[in-house]
Amino acid sequence: MKSREVFNDCVSAKDYFVKAVEAKDYQQAKILWFSCVTLLRTIGHVLHKVDAQNFDVTLQEELFVQFKVWKSSEPIFKEFIEKERNNILKEYDICVEVSEVKESVNLITSDGFQLVSSDGYTLQATNTIEDFVKANGYCKGESPISILNSALNWWDIKLKKFE
């Protein structure tokens, strides 16, 4: 099926996305996010418009019924795959961003004693932890990687029913 080919391309794009996030190349990650989301929607479009032409009538009818269900009541399709893709293509709405969390920790010696300055103040270190997160919409605050994995798993299950 042609939609499986699109699925495989999306898996590859997701792998590149993961590498970009790990390398903290957020500009590249943003572009790959757009690619992944667009490919996720393309899977459904190709399944519905291209692959269905090769199905027998019974399977075509099943797909058309399923497609209506996905669009109306499957949150991962309706609220993420469809809506996210539309936000990107129609409004260039960017829903992923770098989130920074600052964390202060007290410095201690290897034997557990707290380090203090000569005037008695506790010495602290501050770490800044960067993460690439879903800033708004479906699964706000979660890792885009886990959302992509969920969407790919969802599509894999759906595609297997028609292969």
Side-chain angles (χ1 to χ4, degrees):
M1 286 191 329
K2 195 79 167 168
S3 54
R4 179 59 75 177
E5 183 179 337
V6 179
F7 175 90
N8 291 335
D9 287 344
C10 190
V11 169
S12 294
K14 190 239 357 162
D15 292 342
Y16 286 117
F17 174 76
V18 170
K19 289 177 185 173
V21 170
E22 288 172 350
K24 298 189 183 309
D25 184 349
Y26 298 122
Q27 179 62 32
Q28 183 71 15
K30 180 179 80 169
I31 293 165
L32 288 163
W33 172 257
F34 294 163
S35 178
C36 290
V37 170
T38 303
L39 286 167
L40 283 168
R41 183 59 186 90
T42 303
I43 295 166
H45 186 80
V46 170
L47 177 64
H48 188 238
K49 302 291 183 182
V50 177
D51 291 336
Q53 295 175 10
N54 300 318
F55 296 164
D56 63 36
V57 173
T58 305
L59 199 55
Q60 281 180 350
E61 289 173 0
E62 172 64 21
L63 173 60
F64 296 149
V65 167
Q66 285 296 304
F67 203 78
K68 285 180 183 178
V69 170
W70 300 340
K71 288 187 87 163
S72 65
S73 61
E74 287 273 354
I76 197 152
F77 188 91
K78 182 180 177 183
E79 296 300 322
F80 175 60
I81 294 170
E82 179 85 5
K83 194 172 191 176
E84 195 85 12
R85 179 274 212 167
N86 287 344
N87 287 342
I88 290 168
L89 293 181
K90 296 177 181 182
E91 300 175 24
Y92 203 65
D93 184 14
I94 302 165
C95 69
V96 289
E97 68 183 16
V98 178
S99 172
E100 288 187 358
V101 175
K102 293 189 186 257
E103 178 182 78
S104 295
V105 293
N106 293 337
L107 298 177
I108 57 171
T109 63
S110 59
D111 52 0
F113 292 103
Q114 205 169 41
L115 292 175
V116 294
S117 65
S118 59
D119 48 357
Y121 292 104
T122 301
L123 296 178
Q124 293 186 325
T126 302
N127 294 325
T128 301
I129 301 166
E130 283 186 344
D131 199 7
F132 204 53
V133 298
K134 187 89 169 38
N136 56 50
Y138 184 81
C139 295
K140 178 181 176 179
E142 292 188 25
S143 161
I145 296 166
S146 67
I147 299 167
L148 288 176
N149 285 332
S150 294
L152 285 165
N153 289 336
W154 183 85
W155 266 128
D156 191 39
I157 291 166
K158 302 304 180 193
L159 291 177
K160 285 178 181 174
K161 291 180 181 179
F162 296 99
E163 290 177 314

